[in-house]
Amino acid sequence: MKTKKSIDSNEWLGTMAIASIALAVAVIHGTHLYVLFENDRFFSHLSPLERELSFRTEAGFYYSYYKTVVTAPSFRLGLQKLVSDNVTEFPSTINTLQRFNLYPEVFLGFLYRTFTIVFGPLSVECFTVSRGLGQPSVRTCTGPGEPIYFYVLSVFALNGLYCAGLFLLSTLLSESVVGGLLSIILFFYNHGEATRVMWTPPLRESFAVPFLAFQLAAVVHTFRHPRPSWSEFASILLSSLFFLVPWQLSQFVILTQTLAQMAVYSVRLMPGRKAATVICAQLSSSSVSSFSVSSSSSSISSSSVSSSSVSSSSVSSSSVSSSSVISSHYNSISSTTVNYPYNIAALSNTAILCIHVL
């Protein structure tokens, strides 16, 4: 008969093995994305201007704001340019940070500047590219010390983690490492249909979709747990929040999940505690994201942009149904994400729904 100590040791080894495979899969996928990107653009041998021009349509549009943050005299001045932008929709002054969900660019710009200050200039390798055919030579540099390289490498590293999350999700669902590896094999087999990040790194879903795999894994883990606790609630809340903030369309994915889980709960196929944990975590993440989108940028722009007052709608807590609460909640979130007035009803609806379900 196995002792408790040996069982715990085996579980620890199994967890470490799964984590190691997930890390290996993430590295392989991130490297694969960069190789595809390099082979398509010959990115390393382009001039700085040509690299920026290779970001077509809205991809270049998003990257330009990252460049603004990185090249500004200070991080705060760069952020101020995004919050009070009179170029994008001239002559109007708009808050591009809110309007275009530029939080990933702000974060990467902050990260680049911080690394440069703490560790000094990041590594670069410069060389001269001979164009031939009478064309002038081009002096170019590669490596994380180049802002544009830091940007694309960060995107590919994040999407490498998407593959790790997919492996963890499949392992949870199949209760087998073989199932997780099979899903990764099929993912690579259908890679061209599964992602487009290697062609358009700056798009919003490139920063959001990786967190969807971890969010789904957290939901599955909660369903499997006999008695979900605050750790399960926090995992769903954080993964949903990181999924919602970068991409304006992610709210509809969370809405679909919430309605499906509410339907299962309504026919008593899901225990109330699990339903409350999952649904409240998802709605809480939506509320927090709406709050952060409105309040963070308004506090930044208060020094130069006059703040407008926003009225809060009151919500009655008596005789409210779960479906009506979810509907009004996502109406509030939708108006916040698209039009950006902060509505306190989102937070109120979340509290009412959690009380109602429990």
Side-chain angles (χ1 to χ4, degrees), residues 62-350:
Y62 290 126
Y63 172 78
S64 67
Y65 293 108
Y66 164 77
K67 185 179 178 181
T68 297
V69 175
V70 169
T71 57
S74 68
F75 173 74
R76 183 170 182 82
L77 288 176
L79 192 58
Q80 189 65 57
K81 289 182 180 180
L82 302 190
V83 173
S84 305
D85 186 307
N86 61 355
V87 176
T88 303
E89 295 184 7
F90 183 82
S92 302
T93 297
I94 64 171
N95 187 336
T96 55
L97 181 64
Q98 284 183 342
R99 181 74 63 86
F100 306 117
N101 294 76
L102 300 177
Y103 298 96
E105 280 67 29
V106 171
F107 176 74
L108 290 179
F110 173 78
L111 209 60
Y112 178 83
R113 300 183 73 110
T114 301
F115 283 171
T116 303
I117 294 172
V118 175
F119 302 107
L122 301 179
S123 62
V124 294
E125 180 183 355
C126 297
F127 50 89
T128 301
V129 180
S130 178
R131 298 297 180 92
L133 299 177
Q135 298 294 322
S137 300
V138 173
R139 179 73 174 173
T140 188
C141 299
T142 62
E146 283 289 296
I148 194 169
Y149 254 87
F150 185 88
Y151 184 85
V152 297
L153 290 176
S154 298
V155 174
F156 294 149
L158 178 61
N159 281 268
L161 292 177
Y162 170 59
C163 214
L166 184 63
F167 168 76
L168 295 176
L169 173 61
S170 302
T171 302
L172 277 173
L173 289 172
S174 64
E175 298 182 338
S176 170
V177 175
V178 175
L181 291 175
L182 181 60
S183 69
I184 297 303
I185 293 172
L186 294 176
F187 174 79
F188 274 98
Y189 183 77
N190 299 279
H191 195 263
E193 289 73 37
T195 181
R196 59 174 179 167
V197 65
M198 58 281 192
W199 316 132
T200 52
L203 295 188
R204 299 302 83 192
E205 61 263 33
S206 299
F207 297 96
V209 171
F211 294 106
L212 177 60
F214 291 98
Q215 193 265 352
L216 291 171
V219 170
V220 171
H221 174 70
T222 303
F223 287 157
R224 295 280 178 83
H225 201 283
R227 189 172 177 81
S229 62
W230 281 104
S231 60
E232 283 74 28
F233 178 88
S235 64
I236 298 175
L237 173 64
L238 292 176
S239 57
S240 299
L241 180 62
F242 290 137
F243 175 56
L244 282 166
V245 169
W247 190 23
Q248 67 272 24
L249 301 180
S250 57
Q251 58 178 318
F252 302 109
V253 178
I254 299 297
L255 171 61
T256 304
Q257 281 189 25
T258 303
L259 292 177
Q261 291 154 9
M262 200 66 221
V264 174
Y265 166 75
S266 299
V267 295
R268 299 296 186 266
L269 294 178
M270 183 190 302
R273 184 177 181 85
K274 291 184 179 181
T277 301
V278 175
I279 296 174
C280 291
Q282 291 173 336
L283 297 188
S284 297
S285 67
S286 301
S287 300
V288 172
S289 66
S290 69
F291 178 81
S292 62
V293 162
S294 297
S295 63
S296 61
S297 54
S298 63
S299 63
I300 296 168
S301 60
S302 59
S303 58
S304 61
V305 181
S306 59
S307 59
S308 60
S309 60
V310 180
S311 61
S312 302
S313 59
S314 59
V315 181
S316 174
S317 59
S318 59
S319 64
V320 59
S321 65
S322 301
S323 58
S324 63
V325 171
I326 291 177
S327 176
S328 59
H329 173 89
Y330 276 98
N331 284 337
S332 301
I333 297 302
S334 178
S335 65
T336 303
T337 307
V338 179
N339 300 319
Y340 304 108
Y342 173 61
N343 196 336
I344 198 66
L347 293 173
S348 302
N349 290 338
T350 302

Side-chain angles (χ1 to χ4, degrees), residues 10-11 46 60 120 132 144 226 256 273 352:
N10 290 335
E11 290 180 354
L46 298 178
T256 304
R273 184 177 181 85
I352 293 170

Side-chain angles (χ1 to χ4, degrees), residues 18-86:
I18 292 175
S20 300
I21 296 174
L23 180 60
V25 166
V27 173
I28 293 171
H29 187 228
T31 305
H32 180 62
L33 290 173
Y34 174 74
V35 170
L36 291 175
F37 180 72
E38 172 67 19
N39 291 344
D40 179 64
R41 310 278 176 89
F42 209 34
F43 199 69
S44 60
H45 287 64
L46 298 178
S47 68
L49 177 60
E50 289 170 335
R51 288 173 180 171
E52 294 179 1
L53 291 175
S54 69
F55 290 149
R56 305 177 183 90
T57 63
E58 70 267 34
F61 177 74
Y62 290 126
Y63 172 78
S64 67
Y65 293 108
Y66 164 77
K67 185 179 178 181
T68 297
V69 175
V70 169
T71 57
S74 68
F75 173 74
R76 183 170 182 82
L77 288 176
L79 192 58
Q80 189 65 57
K81 289 182 180 180
L82 302 190
V83 173
S84 305
D85 186 307
N86 61 355

